[in-house]
Amino acid sequence: MNFTALRMSTLFLRTLREDPADADVDSARLLQRAGYIRKAAPGIWTWLPLGLQVLNKIEAVVREEINGIGAQEVHFPALLPREPYEATHRWEEYGDNIFRLKDRHGADYLLAPTHEEMFTLLVKDMYSSYKDLPVTLYQIQTKYRDEFRPRAGLVRGREFIMKDAYSFTIDEEGLRKAYSDERGAYERIFRRLGVNYVIVSAMSGPMGGSQSEEFLAPLAIGEDTFALAPSGKAWNVEALTTPKTDDLDYSQIPSAEKRATPDAKTIDGMIARADARYPRADGRAWAATDILKNVVIAVKHPDGGKDDKPWREAVVVGVPGDRQIDMKRLEAQFAPAEIEEANETDLKGHPELVPGYIGPMVLGPQAKSAGIEHPVRYLIDAHVTKGSAWFTGADENEVDYYDLVYGRDFEADRTVEAVEVRPGDLSPDGSGALSLERGVEIGQVFQLGLKYSNALDLKVLDQNGKAVPVWMGSYGIGVSRVLACIAEAHHDDKGLAWPVNIAPAQVHVLATGKNHEAFEAADKLVAELESRGIEVLYDDRLKVSPGVKFKDSELIGVPLVAVAGRDTVNNGTIEIRNRDGSDSVAVPVEHAADTLADRLAALR
Ligand code: ATP
Ligand code: MG
């Protein structure tokens, strides 16, 4: 296929010498400087010709692979009515994150942040039998989210491009197959795009449903932290479970004892008091790891209260004294309920919770023996091992327990993942110590289950003529975000350096100097490359200095560079090199096209 070169004499492009003032990451800085995108408003970007070339190529790879698993492309509007989102409660649940608007008649609309509702209703509209299933539909379309903090250019936009796919199957087994097909397509897509990725097990969050995985690009600019095991397996910290350790033998531990420990409401205070008054038998100093810290947390249940209304519950979470609670991890254990730090009202009605001296003996399973009518639930962090002995509150002012043993003296209602994950923590797969890495979420696959079909009444008749809800999955890729991640991973201090598959062109031909012979040689080379279907960016600008042309070339980042200039006139050669300046050779003009074609084949 012929390709018409992009000629820089006419190309709609203006590269910038200076960094844009508010560019917070390299990809945003370079994509603007090299003339790929322009800022329209915070988190809202205009695509320029070079940017669109790259975007179109990424979309083409996504389309090919998603079509390849039998999904069919559709296209929804971005402007949608309120009602379907009302039915799934997402009109409220999305909070300030959606753009809501009214039409001239006062009806409510929104700019879609994602399209589960509309796909569900479309299938409901058109399909009614198990014979119609399975079906997977997708679109590549613009999404809107009023992100609290748009940042990092295309990485977190308020308008962005997403590939979103939705599978509809008659049963759970079908869903698992659709999910695994989609996951496989993602792996091929990211491999073809040259994007480094890890797949992390994720909690499903506000989408609802069960199994879910995220594809993260490991990049320092990422806002997501993931835990990486030596085996290469990775987890979102919210989804990480602490491996269970064997119960400890407490036969040698003395019985629990209450001791006056005044002025010891903090971990440091407890350690100082205990060291001064009760030196340990084993001679070492008291440490935060000896202390069981009991924190009151408020759980905000969305329903299940009086008349099934929302209600608020105070619970106590016991964690090792050297660890901080990670509210996001802890909250994931209570979904769909949310949590926050307890306030004074939460503590009212619970005089047994003595500030600074809260301990397990008045909580949960042992509360009844302490004479408490309506006990507060006691949850214990997974790092607290059965049989371990603790220094902790005794529920009296200025009194603490020593040698209170979990599993001997007290129990908990439930084990939870409450504390922050640390590098060096053990991996659940038994492969060793975890490290913590930063990543950007580039895609996510969800087994939604029946959530949306139940909410929107999507049913089909099964083989026995019975109406059954349809199993659904949803699968997203942040197409514009992926572009930014590729730029982030492929650049140097001079500019972008695209992988050949998605570069705006494959060869950048530069005609330099004032001699028309160099321009003629370059013209010929470009025509030859065009006829071979090689994509060319051609710097044919007159009266632009070679220095400027070289700088622009480095900024724009096309993988192969061919320069016609003084040497072409003097020696009949064209210089061919890689974007980073490496492997530079001078080849006779008549061999230039062959050499470039060979180099290109080697790059692919
Ligand atoms: P994040 O946690 O980064 O906000 P998300 O989990 O809310 O993302 P999803 O609802 O899973 O996002 O959307 C599917 C994909 O869309 C994400 O995996 C991500 O690649 C992309 N995406 C989400 N929000 C944005 C945004 N504000 N700008 C660009 N891409 C986005
Ligand atoms: Mg997500």
Side-chain angles (χ1 to χ4, degrees):
M1 205 173 56
N2 259 21
F3 179 86
T4 308
L6 301 169
R7 286 166 192 266
M8 288 178 71
S9 55
T10 51
L11 184 64
F12 190 64
L13 171 73
R14 185 71 69 239
T15 56
L16 310 176
R17 291 289 147 242
E18 302 292 326
D19 288 337
D22 52 356
D24 50 354
V25 300
D26 288 343
S27 54
R29 184 170 66 80
L30 293 172
L31 287 169
Q32 289 178 81
R33 272 192 55 193
Y36 285 72
I37 56 172
R38 291 292 279 193
K39 189 173 190 166
I44 305 180
W45 299 92
T46 304
W47 294 91
L48 299 179
L50 286 182
L52 266 187
Q53 289 283 335
V54 178
L55 183 66
N56 290 339
K57 288 185 177 183
I58 295 177
E59 289 188 1
V61 169
V62 171
R63 265 198 187 93
E64 250 178 66
E65 294 296 340
I66 300 296
N67 289 339
I69 56 169
Q72 299 172 60
E73 186 169 0
V74 296
H75 199 87
F76 276 92
L79 179 61
L80 298 175
R82 168 179 179 157
E83 289 72 23
Y85 286 79
E86 193 76 64
T88 58
H89 305 295
R90 293 214 291 186
W91 178 264
E92 288 88 27
E93 268 172 27
Y94 258 102
D96 288 337
N97 255 358
I98 41 178
F99 287 101
R100 300 175 177 80
L101 55 158
K102 283 192 191 298
D103 72 5
R104 62 171 70 204
H105 307 293
D108 284 319
Y109 285 80
L110 66 121
L111 293 174
T114 169
H115 277 78
E116 278 76 4
E117 285 81 354
M118 303 313 291
F119 275 85
T120 310
L121 289 175
L122 185 68
V123 172
K124 177 177 166 175
D125 211 13
M126 293 176 55
Y127 276 3
S128 57
S129 159
Y130 73 95
K131 290 183 204 145
D132 298 324
L133 304 179
V135 65
T136 297
L137 302 174
Y138 80 99
Q139 61 178 345
I140 296 178
Q141 194 249 14
T142 308
K143 299 279 191 269
Y144 296 86
R145 295 185 186 176
D146 194 359
E147 298 277 359
F148 179 68
R149 201 163 73 91
R151 67 177 280 276
L154 299 170
V155 171
R156 187 170 296 286
R158 296 197 295 166
E159 176 182 295
F160 60 97
I161 298 163
M162 198 202 285
K163 185 285 312 187
D164 48 331
Y166 305 84
S167 66
F168 300 85
T169 54
I170 190 71
D171 54 20
E172 196 173 2
E173 197 188 318
L175 167 57
R176 269 191 236 113
K177 175 169 187 311
Y179 179 93
S180 120
D181 287 350
E182 200 77 31
R183 190 182 188 277
Y186 278 32
E187 296 213 61
R188 289 190 292 279
I189 289 168
F190 294 132
R191 227 176 290 136
R192 282 179 63 181
L193 294 177
V195 182
N196 206 355
Y197 66 90
V198 292
I199 302 177
V200 306
S201 311
M203 284 286 186
S204 41
M207 289 276 190
S210 50
Q211 161 88 347
S212 163
E213 288 164 298
E214 287 171 358
F215 286 69
L216 302 184
L219 288 169
I221 62 153
E223 287 177 277
D224 291 351
T225 304
F226 66 97
L228 183 65
S231 61
K233 212 173 148 25
W235 295 262
N236 190 318
V237 287
E238 277 92 63
L240 194 73
T241 50
T242 306
K244 210 176 145 16
T245 44
D246 292 342
D247 293 1
L248 297 173
D249 170 18
Y250 54 79
S251 57
Q252 302 303 315
I253 296 176
S255 27
E257 197 183 326
K258 280 189 197 179
R259 295 172 183 162
T261 316
D263 204 14
K265 291 194 176 181
T266 62
I267 301 288
D268 287 346
M270 287 172 82
I271 292 172
R273 277 298 140 186
D275 276 338
R277 292 194 173 201
Y278 314 109
R280 291 176 54 91
D282 59 9
R284 74 160 167 84
W286 287 99
T289 45
D290 300 317
I291 295 171
L292 182 63
K293 184 164 66 173
N294 297 294
V295 185
V296 192
I297 297 286
V299 183
K300 303 188 287 178
H301 299 275
D303 49 34
K306 196 163 172 275
D307 300 329
D308 211 23
K309 289 252 168 57
W311 65 292
R312 203 174 156 100
E313 178 195 13
V315 300
V316 173
V317 184
V319 306
D322 64 324
R323 298 240 186 193
Q324 297 303 322
I325 288 188
D326 177 335
M327 291 295 271
K328 270 182 81 186
R329 278 192 89 210
L330 183 56
E331 185 168 65
Q333 324 268 304
F334 291 98
E338 292 171 6
I339 62 166
E340 63 190 26
E341 277 175 37
N343 57 34
E344 291 200 354
T345 324
D346 295 312
L347 295 178
K348 259 195 201 139
H350 293 293
E352 76 275 21
L353 303 179
V354 180
Y357 292 89
I358 298 173
M361 297 310 285
V362 296
L363 300 167
Q366 41 284 330
K368 283 263 152 62
S369 354
I372 312 255
E373 271 293 313
H374 301 288
V376 171
R377 277 201 292 159
Y378 188 51
L379 315 174
I380 201 135
D381 181 66
H383 293 83
V384 179
T385 310
K386 282 257 173 158
S388 52
W390 297 94
F391 170 18
T392 188
D395 318 297
E396 289 171 39
N397 202 21
E398 315 219 309
V399 182
D400 278 329
Y401 262 119
Y402 292 70
D403 291 319
L404 198 69
V405 173
Y406 176 38
R408 180 186 72 180
D409 304 317
F410 71 94
E411 297 288 345
D413 291 295
R414 192 184 138 187
T415 303
V416 285
E417 298 292 344
V419 296
E420 91 252 88
V421 177
R422 284 187 195 155
D425 282 354
L426 290 180
S427 160
D429 71 355
S431 69
L434 295 168
S435 63
L436 290 183
E437 315 281 339
R438 286 283 201 186
V440 177
E441 183 188 319
I442 47 178
Q444 180 156 21
V445 285
F446 270 110
Q447 293 185 16
L448 292 173
L450 300 174
K451 176 177 164 160
Y452 290 89
S453 12
N454 281 337
L456 297 165
D457 198 30
L458 167 62
K459 289 196 171 115
V460 294
L461 297 179
D462 71 6
Q463 266 166 312
N464 308 315
K466 195 174 143 237
V468 293
V470 174
W471 291 80
M472 284 177 60
S474 88
Y475 317 93
I477 290 182
V479 176
S480 47
R481 181 182 280 188
V482 164
L483 186 149
C485 289
I486 298 172
E488 198 63 38
H490 299 273
H491 72 271
D492 59 20
D493 53 352
K494 298 190 184 115
L496 299 160
W498 296 106
V500 67
N501 284 356
I502 58 151
Q506 295 151 351
V507 179
H508 194 169
V509 176
L510 278 60
T512 63
K514 295 194 176 116
N515 197 312
H516 65 94
E517 275 178 54
F519 278 75
E520 277 160 21
D523 280 347
K524 268 207 193 118
L525 173 59
V526 168
E528 174 62 27
L529 294 172
E530 282 178 332
S531 73
R532 295 184 188 204
I534 294 175
E535 301 169 1
V536 182
L537 176 66
Y538 180 20
D539 197 341
D540 58 343
R541 291 176 293 178
L542 300 168
K543 296 188 183 145
V544 173
S545 78
V548 167
K549 291 189 174 184
F550 293 144
K551 277 219 162 62
D552 279 347
S553 168
E554 284 169 331
L555 196 54
I556 292 168
V558 170
L560 288 175
V561 180
V563 185
R566 204 182 303 138
D567 287 349
T568 315
V569 180
N570 297 340
N571 314 329
T573 60
I574 282 184
E575 190 203 342
I576 290 172
R577 61 179 188 233
N578 295 337
R579 148 67 180 79
D580 62 4
S582 66
D583 291 336
S584 170
V585 287
V587 296
V589 172
E590 60 276 19
H591 294 156
D594 282 341
T595 306
L596 285 164
D598 289 349
R599 284 259 187 122
L600 202 51
L603 279 183
R604 284 203 157 122

